[in-house]
């Protein structure tokens, strides 16, 4: 019993799991005291240019693949700088837009830089094409950024590096990541 006791009750995943296992009120897990910034700036609606014909062709194939009843595998191959990340994110957002159920996407990249580029792409594409009044939750899971938790959102994207996921794959608090509807491996070569 002592091994499962969290070091602190500050709203973390371990504390919430602990109080849940004891059937205690969630308030006993505590809460995170995150200081909100004094000032924030938000971009208005983003107006992205339409996809090029070759990108639209790839996008329609992605949406068709995601629409299949059984799990599918696909591979996007476009020249450097031709918008693979944008095509993938926009296709997935458009696919999720027509569904009333929440979706979980796990996006794996090989470097922190590629992870942050993916986060920025998801944010921009969601602001332009996301579900009206819908909510996107983006979770960063690389370096020392932890813990990541399942969110109650229309779309949750967990962006992670291979290295971080390989370290965390055995941890029970991350089992929910195996329920992802879509797994994207950026730079899959």
């Amino acid at each position: 019993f002592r091994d499962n006791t969290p070091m602190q009750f500050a709203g973390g995943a371990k504390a919430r799991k602990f109080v849940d296992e004891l059937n205690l009120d969630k308030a006993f897990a505590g809460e995170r005291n995150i200081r909100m910034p004094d000032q924030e700036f938000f971009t208005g609606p983003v107006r992205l240019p339409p996809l090029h014909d070759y990108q639209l062709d790839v996008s329609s194939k992605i949406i068709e693949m995601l629409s299949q009843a059984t799990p599918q595998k696909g591979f996007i191959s476009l020249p450097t700088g031709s918008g693979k990340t944008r095509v993938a994110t926009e296709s997935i957002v458009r696919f999720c837009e027509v569904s009333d159920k929440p979706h979980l996407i796990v996006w794996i990249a090989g470097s922190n830089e590629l992870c942050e580029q993916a986060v920025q792409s998801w944010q921009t594409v969601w602001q332009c094409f996301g579900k009206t009044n819908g909510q996107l939750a983006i979770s960063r899971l690389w370096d020392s950024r932890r813990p990541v938790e399942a969110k109650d959102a229309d779309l949750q994207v967990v962006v992670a590096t291979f290295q971080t996921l390989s370290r965390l794959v055995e941890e029970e608090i991350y089992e929910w990541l195996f329920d992802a509807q879509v797994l994207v491996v950026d730079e899959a070569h």
Side-chain angles (χ1 to χ4, degrees):
F1 190 78
R2 183 189 288 204
D3 292 343
N4 294 339
T5 305
M7 296 295 286
Q8 59 182 345
F9 289 87
K14 226 175 187 178
R16 286 192 317 278
K17 183 175 187 226
F18 182 79
V19 299
D20 187 52
E21 288 175 352
L22 294 176
N23 293 320
L24 297 172
D25 188 284
K26 293 182 192 286
F28 286 102
E31 36 181 277
R32 295 174 184 256
N33 294 324
I34 300 172
R35 178 179 157 83
M36 298 303 289
D38 293 332
Q39 186 176 46
E40 290 187 73
F41 297 90
F42 297 95
T43 304
V46 176
R47 288 169 181 71
L48 292 172
L51 295 175
H52 297 284
D53 288 342
Y54 70 92
Q55 293 171 317
L56 284 171
D57 183 46
V58 172
S59 179
S60 66
K61 290 176 182 174
I62 293 170
I63 293 170
E64 180 183 326
M65 180 189 70
L66 294 172
S67 301
Q68 300 297 314
T70 57
Q72 302 290 311
K73 295 177 185 174
F75 189 87
I76 299 173
S77 178
L78 293 170
T80 301
S82 61
K84 289 181 288 292
T85 302
R86 159 108 189 264
V87 171
T89 55
E90 184 173 328
S91 302
I92 295 168
V93 166
R94 289 189 182 278
F95 170 74
C96 294
E97 182 181 24
V98 296
S99 174
D100 290 333
K101 64 180 183 174
H103 288 83
L104 172 62
I105 313 301
V106 175
W107 185 286
I108 306 171
S111 70
N112 298 352
E113 181 182 15
L114 287 174
C115 284
E116 193 56 45
Q117 285 175 6
V119 167
Q120 296 306 314
S121 181
W122 278 103
Q123 178 185 2
T124 302
V125 168
W126 182 263
Q127 287 178 305
C128 189
F129 302 111
K131 185 184 267 187
T132 302
N133 297 319
Q135 186 177 42
L136 166 67
I138 301 176
S139 303
R140 289 174 171 92
L141 188 58
W142 67 85
D143 280 347
S144 60
R145 302 172 193 269
R146 290 195 288 287
V148 170
E149 304 160 347
K151 300 292 182 193
D152 185 23
D154 296 288
L155 177 60
Q156 180 172 6
V157 178
V158 176
V159 180
T161 59
F162 295 102
Q163 299 85 348
T164 301
L165 278 182
S166 66
R167 283 194 314 269
L168 302 176
V169 73
E170 299 293 326
E171 291 188 28
E172 210 173 295
I173 62 171
Y174 291 105
E175 283 180 0
W176 60 275
L177 290 174
F178 290 102
D179 294 330
Q181 288 82 18
V182 178
L183 172 66
V184 176
V185 179
D186 193 354
E187 301 286 339
H189 46 69

